[in-house]
Amino acid sequence: MDAKKIGTLIAASRRARGLTQQQLAEELGVTNRAVSKWETGQGLPDIALLPALAAALGITVDELLAGETAPLSPAEEPMDDTGEPAPAEFLPPTDGEPGFGEPLADLPRMQPTRQEWAAAVLSCRKLPGQRLERLVLALVVPNAACTQSADALQRHLHQLVPAVCRFGTARTPRLHRPAKAAGLAVVGVALFAFALAPALGVAGTISPTGTVLMLSRDPETGTVTDLHSGQTFPYPVVGRMKKQWLTGDCCAVTYQTTDGSTHVYLATYGDRGSGYSYYYVAPLLTGTWRQYEDALNPGITLRCPSASPDIQVLSPSAGSDYSQIYSQTVQFGTLGVALCDDEGLPHWTVVLGRDYDASDGVDPYGSLIICPVSMEPTEAVTLHYYSEEDQERDFREAMGLPSVEEEEKLQELETTPPAFSEEQDYTVREDGVYFTWDGGATYSKALGRGEGVETSADMDPCVMTDTMAAFLTVSDFSSGQSVTLHLTRDKGKNWQTISLVDFTDVHPIDYLGMDFLDDSFGWFAASTGWSMGTGMLAGFYTTHDGGLTWEDQLLPGKVGNTDGFTGMVFCNENVGAATTHSPNESDWPRLFLTPDGGRSWQEPILPWDNLSDDELSALIAQGVYAPGRVTGITDLGDDHWEVTLAQGANEQQEIVLSADSFDGPWTLKEVREVS
């Protein structure tokens, strides 16, 4: 499924039905943030919501999943009273009643069809039940075929005026007789008002939640009056009026006046029953409000500092951010304001969301609805409060800093001494790596948090002597990995970092080896995994000054382009052994010996080399089945030598090879368990 395509369809269908994101969210029982994520392609609705969402948008589930609506067949085209396809003037225009886009004095009077009256009334959702729906239909469309059932009525009116009518099952229980009479009276008044509206120069619109806006315009002067509040528009209206419901109880009416400038009027409908009304809206906008939770792409953002009357709107436009500060606001009712420029012309309308709530000393809860002022089609956007805690969190994430909770935990760690189990020991904690040479009486901090060591496994190999300590860290860069030595020669009073080797354009390092036989001689070896075109890369270095300087040594065999290290050991600064992967990918390793500190290498013949199948089977019968890395080389004196190799997946055994001369031959001495 194409999330962006589905999101585009959801947004278009929602706007076509005159719904805001908040209203759709309320109908589905989700948050308006969820609706916003659907429409921007950042998420998909839960599968359980698909039937309800499709019904609310007036589309099928198949169309919703496909991200596009199927074209209407001829049988689905709206019909008029004669059964013929309805002419365009009987379909609801995008901006209001038919023909209201021109001065009323120049328009012929046009009666709405009876079906349109019924659709307008039923869309108020004031009807108590299906029985009353049938009665209304019988009054206004007595000969229509759709009077057979309420469901047929809903389908018929939905096809007739889809942008106005949004039907579902009755939302209120059946009423007793007095309530039914009152409901019929309401329906009758509404039908009468809509029937006479064109003749009286009155235009109206109904919100998806059933709120009715009725406007009266004087055809001679262009003066427009809100019949609900009795307020008159401050400027005469020329041409059409664009009506857009921002919430179920607030409608923005955008219009042009005699000098061609664009203005807006917000029709609001009083207290929402929260126990108090918002009499001054502008102060309630204090703080930062943003469209999306993404700190890098917050969408439209509104900022209003608490100590300043100015309101800033930041709007992404044409790939850049357009920002403007507004110091003039005009309030309408108790729910919304218009943000105006220095000449008094409105640029934005801001309305308190239905879920908005503010209590003394507490951050606002809920949302704002913001919409640009324009005669062109516009989309209302839902903004959510961006608290100081949210801003602090996003700043810390962007800067790579720990969260407030993590920082408090680290501060607590810093006041708690690290625990050690031995006299010479190290420990890895969340706040860094610590070393001690006296069982924890004193200790030094070798690394801080997040410097390449997260667990004790990242410290392998680590070497400690009476006065020194050394360990390696591996860090990634854009095209490879780098190995760094961390070294102290004075019991942790001073630490040095020495870059040893960089491997570029290859697979990650899979072997690291290091050891110091005393305070002067040490060695380091590393190799990478196999990479296309470069094979396995490796490096081998020795030091004779305690790690301050390193000498690049010869690699054993063909490690430079085909093999990689599996192990390395030294018994003194001259004699050492190394194992590498087999070039033919068998389970039997290659062993190399050096008599001169790595300046030269020789490959001895091992007991499993050059054996026939029967001889190999006999060797396996002696317990040699999976020799691995070299773990030791021992000088027994009089030119007698032993080499040990680990065996088994968990290295639970050792294979011991012996020779009466460094040059061999090497024979199998024993296979023993590792204690």
Side-chain angles (χ1 to χ4, degrees), residues 73-358:
S73 65
E76 294 175 318
E77 292 183 358
M79 301 293 177
D80 63 10
D81 289 340
T82 66
E84 297 296 326
E89 61 266 21
F90 289 144
L91 300 179
T94 58
D95 57 333
E97 285 65 39
F100 202 74
E102 302 177 28
L104 288 176
D106 301 330
L107 286 176
R109 300 305 183 204
M110 180 183 298
Q111 290 283 1
T113 66
R114 286 175 295 178
Q115 291 97 325
E116 286 177 303
W117 298 348
V121 173
L122 291 176
S123 68
C124 298
R125 294 177 180 243
K126 298 293 186 182
L127 303 180
Q130 295 180 352
R131 185 176 181 184
L132 187 56
E133 293 175 6
R134 296 193 191 98
L135 178 60
V136 172
L137 185 63
L139 290 174
V140 298
V141 198
N143 298 321
C146 62
T147 56
Q148 297 174 0
S149 70
D151 290 339
L153 162 66
Q154 293 169 0
R155 289 194 299 270
H156 175 73
L157 294 180
H158 175 68
Q159 294 175 359
L160 184 66
V161 278
V164 175
C165 301
R166 297 170 55 252
F167 296 101
T169 57
R171 294 195 171 189
T172 54
R174 296 178 180 272
L175 302 181
H176 298 293
R177 290 183 179 179
K180 289 182 179 179
L184 286 173
V186 171
V187 171
V189 171
L191 285 173
F192 182 75
F194 274 94
L196 295 181
L200 298 176
V202 176
T205 179
I206 304 174
S207 78
T209 59
T211 305
V212 179
L213 168 68
M214 298 293 287
L215 303 174
S216 173
R217 178 161 65 174
D218 187 321
E220 303 296 333
T221 64
T223 302
V224 175
T225 303
D226 181 351
L227 297 182
H228 169 74
S229 65
Q231 295 182 346
T232 300
F233 288 17
Y235 303 98
V237 176
V238 175
R240 70 184 182 94
M241 289 185 289
K242 171 191 165 187
K243 297 177 286 297
Q244 183 175 6
W245 288 96
L246 304 182
T247 61
D249 55 0
C250 183
C251 183
V253 183
T254 309
Y255 62 94
Q256 290 184 316
T257 189
T258 53
D259 63 359
S261 59
T262 300
H263 297 270
V264 70
Y265 170 83
L266 293 181
T268 64
Y269 291 81
D271 191 354
R272 291 170 172 170
S274 60
Y276 57 94
S277 295
Y278 305 107
Y279 294 108
Y280 300 101
V281 175
L284 301 178
L285 309 184
T286 298
T288 300
W289 304 76
R290 60 180 182 174
Q291 182 179 2
Y292 305 125
E293 294 183 1
D294 188 347
L296 300 178
N297 180 29
I300 295 179
T301 302
L302 183 147
R303 295 192 182 99
C304 181
S306 58
S308 171
D310 295 338
I311 298 175
Q312 179 188 27
V313 176
L314 185 68
S315 175
S317 176
S320 61
D321 288 340
Y322 170 76
S323 175
Q324 187 160 346
I325 296 177
Y326 301 93
S327 57
Q328 296 188 37
T329 61
V330 177
Q331 180 161 325
F332 295 88
T334 61
L335 300 179
V337 295
L339 307 183
C340 304
D341 61 19
D342 294 339
E343 297 179 357
L345 296 177
H347 286 198
W348 299 87
T349 54
V350 183
V351 178
L352 304 179
R354 297 280 300 190
D355 59 349
Y356 182 92
D357 188 15

Side-chain angles (χ1 to χ4, degrees), residues 22 42 65 147 329 346-347 359 368 374 404 484 488 530 536 585:
Q22 178 64 34
Q42 300 180 40
L65 294 177
T147 56
T329 61
H347 286 198
S359 303
L368 303 178
S374 173
V404 174
T484 301
T488 180
W530 187 88
M536 293 180 178
E585 298 183 359

Side-chain angles (χ1 to χ4, degrees), residues 397-625:
E397 289 180 357
M399 299 299 294
L401 301 175
S403 66
V404 174
E405 294 78 10
E406 291 174 330
E407 191 171 81
E408 292 175 350
K409 187 175 181 179
L410 292 176
Q411 290 175 352
E412 180 180 350
L413 277 173
E414 289 178 354
T415 60
T416 304
F420 302 97
S421 59
E422 300 177 7
E423 285 295 304
Q424 293 181 9
D425 198 8
Y426 67 88
T427 184
V428 179
R429 304 198 314 178
E430 290 185 51
D431 60 333
V433 180
Y434 294 85
F435 281 79
T436 185
W437 278 261
D438 53 18
T442 60
Y443 52 86
S444 69
K445 190 173 185 179
L447 284 182
R449 178 181 183 273
E451 294 187 52
V453 175
E454 299 294 336
T455 67
S456 58
D458 298 324
M459 296 286 291
D460 187 20
C462 178
V463 178
M464 290 189 70
T465 68
D466 291 340
T467 59
M468 70 168 292
F471 65 96
L472 305 172
T473 57
V474 178
S475 57
D476 296 326
F477 55 92
S478 60
S479 60
Q481 291 185 303
S482 177
V483 181
T484 301
L485 172 69
H486 302 269
L487 176 69
T488 180
R489 297 165 57 84
D490 53 10
K491 295 186 177 182
K493 295 179 181 178
N494 298 283
W495 287 90
Q496 295 174 289
T497 57
I498 302 169
S499 179
L500 295 180
V501 64
D502 291 340
F503 293 114
T504 59
D505 300 323
V506 293
H507 281 201
I509 294 170
D510 64 0
Y511 172 77
L512 279 178
M514 179 191 66
D515 198 6
F516 282 83
L517 302 186
D518 50 41
D519 287 345
S520 59
F521 175 77
W523 58 268
F524 155 73
S527 64
T528 73
W530 187 88
S531 179
M532 180 69 71
T534 59
M536 293 180 178
L537 297 187
F540 167 50
Y541 306 84
T542 59
T543 179
H544 293 272
D545 56 11
L548 297 180
T549 60
W550 292 83
E551 181 181 356
D552 191 352
Q553 299 292 357
L554 181 69
L555 294 171
K558 297 182 178 179
V559 176
N561 55 18
T562 58
D563 298 349
F565 283 116
T566 60
M568 179 176 285
V569 292
F570 277 81
C571 65
N572 56 55
E573 62 181 284
N574 292 316
V575 179
T579 45
T580 69
H581 293 286
S582 173
N584 57 10
E585 298 183 359
S586 71
D587 293 332
W588 305 88
R590 300 176 71 187
L591 175 66
F592 295 90
L593 303 175
T594 178
D596 51 16
R599 296 177 181 85
S600 65
W601 293 89
Q602 60 191 52
E603 184 174 9
I605 297 176
L606 302 178
W608 46 81
D609 291 338
N610 306 319
L611 296 182
S612 66
D613 291 342
D614 291 339
E615 292 172 331
L616 187 59
S617 297
L619 184 65
I620 293 175
Q622 297 180 58
V624 179
Y625 61 91

